[in-house]
Amino acid sequence: MSDSPKSGEPSQVGREEQLVVGKSNEPEAVVITSVEDVKQDENASSEARDEPVDRGALPAAGRSVAFPPVEVDSGIEEKPTGGLNRPRGVEMRRELTQEERDLAQAGYDHLEEEKNEIVNKGEDEMDKVDIHEHRLKFDELENALETSMITKEPSLSRGLELDQAAERLARDGRNVLTPPKKKSALRKYFDCLLTMFNILLIIAGVLEYVLLGIDFKANFQNTYLGGILIAVAFLNAFIEFYQLQKADAILASFLAMIPPSCRVIRGGTLTTVPAAELVKGDIVFIRMGDKTPADLVIFNATDLKLDNSSLTGESEPQERLALPDGSTNRPVEAENLVFNSTLVVSGEGYGLVVRTGDHTLIGQIAKLTGGESGNKSPLGVEIAHFVMTISIIAIIIALVFFGVGLGTVYKGKAAATVTFAVSVLVAFVPEGLPSVVTLLLSIAAKRMAAQNVLVKDLQGVETLGALTLLATDKTGTLTRNQMTVTNLWNGTRMATAFQSNNDAEETEAFSMATPGMAEMIDVSALNSKIKFDKADIPFEQREILGDATETGLARFAGRQLPDYDEHLKNHPKVFEVPFNSTNKWALVTVKKVHADGYLTTYLKGAPERVLAKCATYLKEGKQTPIDDEFRKGFEDAYSYMASRGHRVIACAQYLLPGHLYPENYAFSRSEANYPDSKYTFIGLVSLEDPPKHGVREAIGTLRLAGIKVMMVTGDHPKTAEAIARKINLILGDTKETLAAKTGRPINEIYDDEVSAVVVHGDDIDSLQGFEWDTIFAKDEIVFARTSPKHKLEIVKRAQALGHIVGDGVNDSPALKKADLGIAMNISGSDVSKEAANMILLDDNFASTVKGVSEGRLIFNNLKRSIQYTISHSTPEVIPQLLYVIVPIPLPLSAILILVIDLGFELFVALSFAWDPPESKDGLMRLKPRKPVNERSIMSLKKRALRRTRTLRRDSETQSFVHPSRVSKLVTKLKSPFTRIFWEDFFEKSDDETLVDGKLLSYAYLEAGMLEFAAGIVSYFVVFLKHGFSPSDLQKAQKAGVFFVKSSPDFINHNGQAINATAQVEALAQAQSIVYLGIFIMQCFNVYAVKARFTFPFGRHMVTNLYNFVGIFMGACLGMFIIYTPPLRVVFGGSFRLSPLYWLIPCAFGILLLAWASFRVILLRKGMQESRVKDIQGLMMFPTMRTMSMRSRQ
């Protein structure tokens, strides 16, 4: 069975449809078939290739697809999945309409426009750069920098002595760039101050002082109100500013723990030092994946290429060479100069540090760039939208109340009406919300940091909880990146490198005497780029600097060779081509004499690539032409190794004939002047990189949380699939495994029978829109043999379907593009850590589960906090309405409303940050809050298709011409008057937003009305106790002369005369009980808003002690304001209010809890539907410590 990738296709393939096996010869059409590669005999394959097929495109949901085959030019060529024949899949005769094709492609068009966008730097600025060291010859450079280097054997260079380096560091300073200019603390404070809520408060406060200036005596009380409004705005801004500064300080302290490092030769020893401690004259070793730590002049290089696009705009990697006589080109074009902060994309080299810090190229042009981005996270956008919406509603309602009040109660008294409108505005706006949000996020970020999860952006905390798809690398992320040789195959026999009960019975113990084994040891030792920290200690004690695969091979070779160093010395390298992600092989030519010549070339790499270069193989030590029998043995051995989750490396050699390749032959990479074919296949070596402990349970937990976990790796598909099956990433069948289990041909397996797909990287570039849709429709996805470019493309395609993507791959472009890039601290590169939004400080993938859980919890707690906070708007606003319409004496003054919003409310709202999950499973069994499903994808595609059709194309280039800003603004203003706008607005969605209809219904209509009822009933009871019936209150208020110190006596419904002092006291107590009534109701509401899955009773409701602290502080504040006599002047309360009146809101509070319980019952069905169903086959126990387990198929 071949190990080919396959695509996931939309389900529901009709059994009755006419099927045909074959391929199309029409390149412009779309083949609907399977991506499965299956092993078929030659006759079946040739027959399949000759059959014609109708072709068409497929919409996003509903049919089985297969990718077109790869044509072969020769009998031996790499197949995307290691198979020797590209198998056929199921194809359907169905022509799709152009509309269906357009819909399938919709949503991806913008990705094509984004390709190859380059930021070009000005030529003038580059010409002004002051760098000249690249012009010097090697000996001149060595003398100028007073260092010691050996160009032929750079690893033997002495470099600077430790005391020299320390002296130069003290003299020249650290190798760091001056940070880009950031916003000053004052500017940040004003950014916090100039939010919509604060602006409204400041305007309202200024208005009160304007009224004070117009008529000081009549508006004297506005002195307090205006001052408090303005002070509240500044205090609100300060709280937010302080938390942001504190968060920045925490981030800076953690980033200081993960400084970039580099490999330097000092005192003859290769060591790792912080990049900030580099000095001029240091010798630095750089290799693929590194970020260049300073400006270097290269004096020894092997296939060294760098990505200079961030500096020069060059889209292609630039080769860098050692030039003994220097370069006469300007610095940016010098072939021997590499620049600080550029990425090494292939090869390796040694360079001499010539510039550090601000004197580097990037340091000299840094003034032209830099600054901070203003991008907002999804949470930031939602909060901003909510704030703006509430502010607009509040302004409109305040203006309406102003007009009504002017025509009724105040009868033309503009000053008094303005104060009344301000109180309505204050009642409607939750002034403390921005501070509460910032505080909650800061607390969550600090809590995550304590769990070794560093989030660079506060609002990134919540983004992690909103993930719908997590793309992750295999090596070093899911596995330990500690390769160990397990098995070797010499073309005829399988051997094991260690004793294992999991090997087949016919597997032999490894022996150097077995034919082919010595040659594989030579390949492992001689075709290697590893370095040692020290060469003067025994091999077993050395630290190996290199990638995990080469380290594993070198360790194995070192154990078999009598003297590893002597072996390398006896067979020196004369030429090499390092491994890169394009070739997927590495080649080295060494001086090793044989019967026909002086040189031997060793090749190692991906088995399919190496085999394609071979014409013979070693059979019991003799070269034998490759035949079908060997191919079958190769496939069986390859499958045996890869299916166990091992990385498989093929080895080959070429004994170069002396008459064609003399000892002094001039090999060249640039002209491909080296042997590229006619190799002799030696054998296969497998290495195991076991999964990290905790990864299996972590992936299982994420899948139960509705998050699709997707592996994106450069490994072979079978290796990737085998590891995926060990760690809960693949549980179901692929078409291959199902065919093997049932004995059915692969072309009879329908797509809706399988749930997993393994896609080969070679297929990615040719995928069309409908094919991407069908891949992402699968539950279990693995992308194998991928390059960094593929990884970026995968992230973009997932985002185009609406996925919120968390990215844990090791490539910075994909990390940067993802909604939340996740990097490893210990094993991750400096570039990946710089590009990521989140860093796992302990390299533990399981920490992402903590992060997701924390992100979901903070969103849930933010929602509770907002729900709690805006619940008091109704009991504050409706009494103002009654005051105007009925009318009755004002139940709640503007200043008491402010005390509610920014007094006890702030304490209690903040305490929600420490709320634990409501149930044991918590929020980790719920679907993501913005799930990606067929309905959401179709909605996105329809909108994208609509936008695409409205854009015009350039007549020459056929590229989209984007509308101007004015045109966009006009379209936006006109949109509310179109049918499509309202269709989109009312379109049903499964998304859960921070502030949704359910939350508003509860806050304003359910809890809000109960709180209003509690306040207004208490209000009337207090007045009734003082002799005022509701009709008396209406009569007195209409008169407009009562409830002030100078008012006449009022005759109530019983004929009793109530003097001015009693009137004022009654109003003070009535307002006091309304204020305390809202506070008491909100105390009950603290627990009512928590009731989502369970009733608001029991231990889980009282586990958050901070709720009690917030309530206690709020109670202290309330008692202080009401029961402190001197404060009556400011707040109008009464210390004579009897505590017995508190029982009225308490009764309503119990009613609120009863309603919350009934609400849980009403919404329980919806809550159950939002839970992720159990996944059959999940293994929620630790991965075993044994090296491997033989797969049981």
Side-chain angles (χ1 to χ4, degrees):
M1 185 173 64
S2 169
D3 49 333
S4 141
K6 73 180 184 56
S7 163
E9 296 93 23
S11 59
Q12 310 303 327
V13 178
R15 296 288 199 273
E16 72 281 357
E17 294 210 33
Q18 182 179 4
L19 302 174
V20 62
V21 179
K23 76 161 196 176
S24 170
N25 295 317
E26 303 172 46
E28 72 282 355
V30 179
V31 177
I32 305 176
T33 104
S34 165
V35 216
E36 287 296 324
D37 287 349
V38 293
K39 189 173 182 181
Q40 300 178 358
D41 60 79
E42 295 292 333
N43 293 333
S45 296
S46 60
E47 288 172 9
R49 280 192 287 270
D50 291 335
E51 280 193 32
V53 150
D54 291 335
R55 312 186 73 175
L58 193 67
R63 295 293 175 190
S64 174
V65 303
F67 302 159
V70 174
E71 298 292 345
V72 296
D73 298 324
S74 62
I76 301 175
E77 181 174 328
E78 183 211 353
K79 302 299 180 249
T81 57
L84 297 178
N85 296 310
R86 187 73 166 161
R88 314 291 354 112
V90 179
E91 301 182 358
M92 296 181 300
R93 293 182 181 274
R94 181 170 183 245
E95 279 293 334
L96 300 182
T97 65
Q98 185 61 41
E99 184 178 356
E100 288 175 316
R101 295 186 182 195
D102 291 342
L103 186 62
Q105 184 60 26
Y108 296 124
D109 289 328
H110 68 285
L111 299 180
E112 302 300 325
E113 298 179 49
E114 291 176 2
K115 286 184 178 178
N116 301 322
E117 287 187 0
I118 305 297
V119 180
N120 293 312
K121 305 294 181 182
E123 292 293 324
D124 293 339
E125 286 77 6
M126 290 297 182
D127 287 335
K128 295 176 183 177
V129 171
D130 176 27
I131 297 177
H132 58 271
E133 288 83 356
H134 63 287
R135 301 176 185 273
L136 301 177
K137 296 179 181 179
F138 283 167
D139 56 347
E140 294 173 345
L141 188 62
E142 186 176 9
N143 293 331
L145 296 175
E146 299 178 4
T147 188
S148 172
M149 64 181 186
I150 301 173
T151 56
K152 297 285 187 182
E153 292 289 341
S155 60
L156 302 179
S157 298
R158 185 73 186 172
L160 294 176
E161 299 300 330
L162 295 178
D163 56 344
Q164 280 183 292
E167 181 184 338
R168 295 185 186 190
L169 183 62
R171 181 190 69 195
D172 299 334
R174 289 164 59 81
N175 175 37
V176 292
L177 296 172
T178 301
K181 188 176 181 181
K182 295 185 177 181
K183 293 179 182 178
S184 64
L186 186 62
R187 171 71 185 278
K188 288 181 180 179
Y189 177 75
F190 275 108
D191 284 346
C192 295
L193 181 65
L194 299 178
T195 59
M196 196 64 184
F197 285 170
N198 289 337
I199 290 172
L200 290 178
L201 289 176
I202 292 171
I203 292 173
V206 169
L207 277 175
E208 294 298 321
Y209 278 108
V210 169
L211 297 177
L212 190 66
I214 295 173
D215 188 347
F216 184 84
K217 187 175 181 180
N219 296 295
F220 179 73
Q221 62 181 8
N222 295 346
T223 307
Y224 302 109
L225 180 58
I228 290 174
L229 286 170
I230 295 172
V232 161
F234 278 86
L235 179 63
N236 209 10
F238 176 77
I239 293 172
E240 187 175 1
F241 165 76
Y242 174 75
Q243 286 302 319
L244 289 174
Q245 290 290 89
K246 195 173 177 183
D248 287 345
I250 292 172
L251 173 62
S253 67
F254 275 101
L255 289 179
M257 295 167 56
I258 48 174
S261 58
C262 58
R263 290 175 286 271
V264 181
I265 296 178
R266 284 183 180 170
T269 302
L270 183 64
T271 183
T272 301
V273 301
E277 295 180 8
L278 278 185
V279 295
K280 290 174 69 172
D282 265 329
I283 294 175
V284 176
F285 172 62
I286 55 175
R287 64 184 302 164
M288 185 172 66
D290 290 348
K291 186 173 78 169
T292 311
D295 285 0
L296 313 174
V297 169
I298 298 299
F299 66 86
N300 184 284
T302 305
D303 194 34
L304 182 63
K305 292 183 180 180
L306 291 101
D307 178 7
N308 286 347
S309 59
S310 61
L311 287 178
T312 64
E314 296 163 302
S315 58
E316 293 298 320
Q318 303 298 303
E319 186 170 10
R320 289 298 178 256
L321 310 168
L323 302 178
D325 295 325
S327 172
T328 57
N329 293 329
R330 60 189 189 131
V332 75
E333 294 171 348
E335 292 182 314
N336 63 340
L337 191 59
V338 299
F339 304 114
N340 185 14
S341 299
T342 54
L343 179 64
V344 182
V345 295
S346 72
E348 62 180 36
Y350 289 85
L352 207 55
V353 177
V354 294
R355 293 297 175 99
T356 61
D358 288 335
H359 300 290
T360 60
L361 177 79
I362 191 173
Q364 293 185 46
I365 65 173
K367 293 180 182 178
L368 307 174
T369 58
E372 297 174 298
S373 64
N375 295 333
K376 279 195 172 185
S377 70
L379 179 66
V381 172
E382 282 193 39
I383 292 173
H385 178 73
F386 168 67
V387 166
M388 185 59 68
T389 303
I390 291 294
S391 299
I392 292 171
I393 294 173
I395 291 170
I396 293 172
I397 290 178
L399 291 174
V400 169
F401 272 55
F402 175 80
V404 173
L406 199 63
T408 55
V409 177
Y410 296 104
K411 298 176 182 176
K413 297 178 182 178
T417 314
V418 166
T419 302
F420 166 68
V422 165
S423 67
V424 173
L425 183 71
V426 169
F428 217 93
V429 172
E431 295 85 358
L433 180 63
S435 299
V436 168
V437 169
T438 306
L439 285 164
L440 286 172
L441 291 174
S442 299
I443 292 165
K446 193 172 181 180
R447 210 160 46 217
M448 288 177 69
Q451 297 178 352
N452 291 316
V453 180
L454 172 62
V455 180
K456 292 183 179 180
D457 175 33
L458 274 185
Q459 292 181 346
V461 175
E462 190 280 330
T463 306
L464 188 57
L467 294 183
T468 59
L469 185 146
L470 180 62
T472 174
D473 241 322
K474 181 182 77 68
T475 305
T477 304
L478 301 177
T479 59
R480 303 176 201 172
N481 202 20
Q482 297 171 0
M483 287 289 186
T484 303
V485 173
T486 55
N487 294 94
L488 300 94
W489 181 71
N490 69 349
T492 56
R493 287 182 279 174
M494 183 71 69
T496 178
F498 61 92
Q499 189 66 35
S500 172
N501 295 326
N502 297 320
D503 286 309
E505 293 180 2
E506 61 271 15
T507 302
E508 305 174 358
F510 173 82
S511 170
M512 285 286 283
T514 304
M517 297 302 173
E519 285 82 356
M520 280 191 268
I521 294 298
D522 279 340
V523 174
S524 301
L526 300 176
N527 190 353
S528 178
K529 302 292 294 180
I530 63 157
K531 306 292 178 186
F532 299 111
D533 59 338
K534 295 178 182 179
D536 55 353
I537 58 177
F539 182 85
E540 296 78 12
Q541 300 175 18
R542 299 177 189 177
E543 180 184 349
I544 299 178
L545 306 176
D547 68 60
T549 301
E550 290 202 333
T551 299
L553 291 172
R555 287 280 183 210
F556 181 68
R559 288 197 299 268
Q560 311 306 324
L561 294 170
D563 190 331
Y564 185 91
D565 295 329
E566 188 68 21
H567 192 70
L568 266 61
K569 187 177 180 181
N570 293 337
H571 305 102
K573 294 179 184 179
V574 295
F575 174 75
E576 65 180 330
V577 179
F579 178 89
N580 63 57
S581 57
T582 303
N583 293 336
K584 290 186 167 58
W585 50 259
L587 176 153
V588 66
T589 300
V590 299
K591 288 184 179 180
K592 187 175 183 183
V593 179
H594 51 87
D596 294 331
Y598 305 96
L599 304 176
T600 301
T601 296
Y602 290 115
L603 184 71
K604 72 174 183 185
E608 57 269 27
R609 297 289 178 97
V610 172
L611 182 62
K613 296 180 180 294
C614 296
T616 59
Y617 72 101
L618 278 183
K619 183 175 182 180
E620 300 302 321
K622 297 179 181 180
Q623 293 187 14
T624 306
I626 290 177
D627 53 17
D628 290 342
E629 182 184 355
F630 170 78
R631 288 193 179 96
K632 183 179 184 304
F634 171 86
E635 287 292 331
D636 291 343
Y638 194 178
S639 295
Y640 173 79
M641 292 173 165
S643 63
R644 301 170 71 193
H646 297 178
R647 178 172 293 180
V648 186
I649 302 294
C651 303
Q653 69 178 13
Y654 189 177
L655 305 179
L656 300 181
H659 66 282
L660 295 177
Y661 298 94
E663 192 172 358
N664 59 351
Y665 185 83
F667 296 95
S668 171
R669 284 191 307 276
S670 58
E671 299 174 5
N673 188 19
Y674 56 87
D676 193 44
S677 60
K678 299 182 180 179
Y679 281 84
T680 299
F681 187 88
I682 299 172
L684 298 174
V685 182
S686 70
L687 302 95
E688 183 178 32
D689 184 14
K692 288 181 177 178
H693 297 305
V695 163
R696 174 187 288 165
E697 304 96 292
I699 290 178
T701 304
L702 291 172
R703 292 192 62 182
L704 287 172
I707 297 171
K708 190 175 290 188
V709 184
M710 181 174 69
M711 183 192 291
V712 185
T713 179
D715 261 344
H716 186 276
K718 273 200 174 281
T719 304
E721 183 181 343
I723 290 291
R725 291 191 181 278
K726 288 183 181 181
I727 57 174
N728 280 330
L729 208 146
I730 290 183
L731 300 174
D733 284 314
T734 63
K735 286 191 174 180
E736 286 183 342
T737 58
L738 187 59
K741 286 179 179 179
T742 60
R744 295 156 57 193
I746 192 75
N747 58 358
E748 291 183 10
I749 303 294
Y750 289 87
D751 184 70
D752 55 356
E753 295 180 79
V754 299
S755 60
V757 58
V758 181
V759 183
H760 197 291
D762 286 1
D763 291 319
I764 290 176
D765 291 330
S766 60
L767 292 182
Q768 300 182 49
F770 75 91
E771 293 168 323
W772 282 105
D773 291 349
T774 55
I775 289 171
F776 286 116
K778 291 297 181 188
D779 295 327
E780 300 164 345
I781 307 169
V782 170
F783 287 94
R785 286 290 191 244
T786 55
S787 66
K789 185 182 79 170
H790 292 147
K791 294 173 183 178
L792 176 61
E793 187 73 8
I794 290 164
V795 169
K796 287 181 177 180
R797 297 286 176 169
Q799 288 175 323
L801 292 179
H803 280 289
I804 297 178
V805 181
D807 189 77
V809 302
N810 297 326
D811 297 282
S812 56
L815 285 170
K816 232 171 212 179
K817 181 63 181 173
D819 297 281
L820 191 81
I822 305 168
M824 299 289 171
N825 173 36
I826 301 169
S827 60
S829 67
D830 295 337
V831 182
S832 65
K833 285 184 276 190
E834 190 176 281
N837 308 98
M838 187 178 97
I839 300 172
L840 304 182
L841 297 176
D842 58 356
D843 273 26
N844 186 359
F845 179 80
S847 297
T848 55
V849 175
K850 299 176 188 174
V852 170
S853 178
E854 193 67 52
R856 290 189 173 192
L857 182 60
I858 198 61
F859 178 82
N860 190 59
N861 290 347
L862 265 174
K863 197 161 187 170
R864 285 177 179 176
S865 184
I866 292 172
Q867 188 172 345
Y868 168 84
T869 301
I870 64 177
S871 292
H872 60 67
S873 293
T874 300
E876 289 174 354
V877 172
I878 294 183
Q880 312 293 325
L881 190 63
L882 297 178
Y883 167 63
V884 171
I885 295 175
V886 175
I888 57 174
L890 187 63
L892 203 62
S893 65
I895 202 161
L896 283 177
I897 291 174
L898 270 177
V899 172
I900 292 172
D901 290 3
L902 294 153
F904 64 79
E905 289 289 82
L906 201 58
F907 297 127
V908 181
L910 183 57
S911 72
F912 283 103
W914 288 277
D915 261 10
E918 194 172 342
S919 61
K920 184 179 179 181
D921 289 334
L923 302 163
M924 293 301 286
R925 286 302 304 269
L926 294 182
K927 296 175 184 176
R929 67 184 185 90
K930 292 186 177 180
V932 176
N933 49 37
E934 187 175 335
R935 180 165 59 189
S936 70
I937 292 173
M938 192 57 65
S939 175
L940 273 176
K941 284 185 172 291
K942 284 181 179 177
R943 296 186 189 193
L945 184 60
R946 217 162 44 224
R947 284 196 302 271
T948 303
R949 287 175 174 172
T950 58
L951 294 174
R952 65 184 181 86
R953 292 179 180 268
D954 186 274
S955 57
E956 294 182 1
T957 64
Q958 289 301 305
S959 60
F960 289 116
V961 178
H962 292 281
S964 63
R965 290 185 179 180
V966 175
S967 177
K968 287 180 180 178
L969 180 62
V970 171
T971 304
K972 195 171 184 178
L973 293 174
K974 289 166 61 177
S975 60
F977 303 99
T978 62
R979 177 177 56 84
I980 292 175
F981 174 86
W982 293 106
E983 283 180 356
D984 289 345
F985 185 82
F986 289 108
E987 184 178 21
K988 189 175 180 181
S989 170
D990 297 322
D991 293 357
E992 180 185 4
T993 54
L994 190 64
V995 180
D996 54 17
K998 289 179 183 177
L999 184 147
L1000 294 175
S1001 170
Y1002 175 87
Y1004 289 134
L1005 301 179
E1006 299 165 31
M1009 291 305 295
L1010 280 174
E1011 290 190 18
F1012 160 69
I1016 204 68
V1017 167
S1018 303
Y1019 170 88
F1020 283 126
V1021 168
V1022 168
F1023 263 121
L1024 194 61
K1025 180 67 176 177
H1026 286 82
F1028 291 92
S1029 67
S1031 58
D1032 290 337
L1033 292 176
Q1034 183 183 28
K1035 178 181 174 183
Q1037 187 62 25
K1038 282 184 176 179
V1041 294
F1042 297 103
F1043 303 106
V1044 292
K1045 292 180 180 179
S1046 58
S1047 60
D1049 290 353
F1050 177 79
I1051 308 300
N1052 67 5
H1053 60 287
N1054 290 328
Q1056 178 186 357
I1058 304 173
N1059 60 30
T1061 303
Q1063 293 173 30
V1064 171
E1065 178 62 25
L1067 179 61
Q1069 289 192 26
Q1071 289 185 341
S1072 297
I1073 194 58
V1074 172
Y1075 166 77
L1076 289 177
I1078 293 175
F1079 164 69
I1080 292 169
M1081 285 295 292
Q1082 285 290 78
C1083 291
F1084 284 92
N1085 197 27
V1086 168
Y1087 302 100
V1089 296
K1090 295 182 184 185
R1092 187 179 179 189
F1093 309 109
T1094 55
F1095 298 123
F1097 311 105
R1099 177 182 289 183
H1100 66 281
M1101 284 291 172
V1102 294
T1103 51
N1104 184 2
L1105 297 178
Y1106 288 98
N1107 286 153
F1108 294 104
V1109 173
I1111 290 171
F1112 176 74
M1113 293 178 71
C1116 291
L1117 179 65
M1119 298 304 104
F1120 178 69
I1121 287 172
I1122 299 301
Y1123 291 99
T1124 304
L1127 294 182
R1128 180 171 183 171
V1129 179
V1130 180
F1131 299 105
S1134 173
F1135 63 90
R1136 297 185 180 88
L1137 179 69
S1138 171
L1140 289 176
Y1141 292 118
W1142 301 356
L1143 296 176
I1144 299 172
C1146 284
F1148 277 93
I1150 293 171
L1151 185 61
L1152 177 61
L1153 292 179
W1155 169 252
S1157 302
F1158 182 61
R1159 195 169 184 266
V1160 168
I1161 297 172
L1162 290 177
L1163 300 178
R1164 179 165 286 174
K1165 184 179 179 182
M1167 289 295 103
Q1168 288 298 328
E1169 289 176 355
S1170 67
R1171 285 177 62 87
V1172 178
K1173 295 179 181 178
D1174 290 336
I1175 301 174
Q1176 188 175 1
L1178 275 184
M1179 299 174 286
M1180 301 303 286
F1181 52 87
T1183 49
M1184 296 181 67
R1185 291 181 178 272
T1186 54
M1187 287 298 296
S1188 63
M1189 291 186 297
R1190 190 175 181 185
S1191 60
R1192 297 175 177 87
Q1193 296 286 335

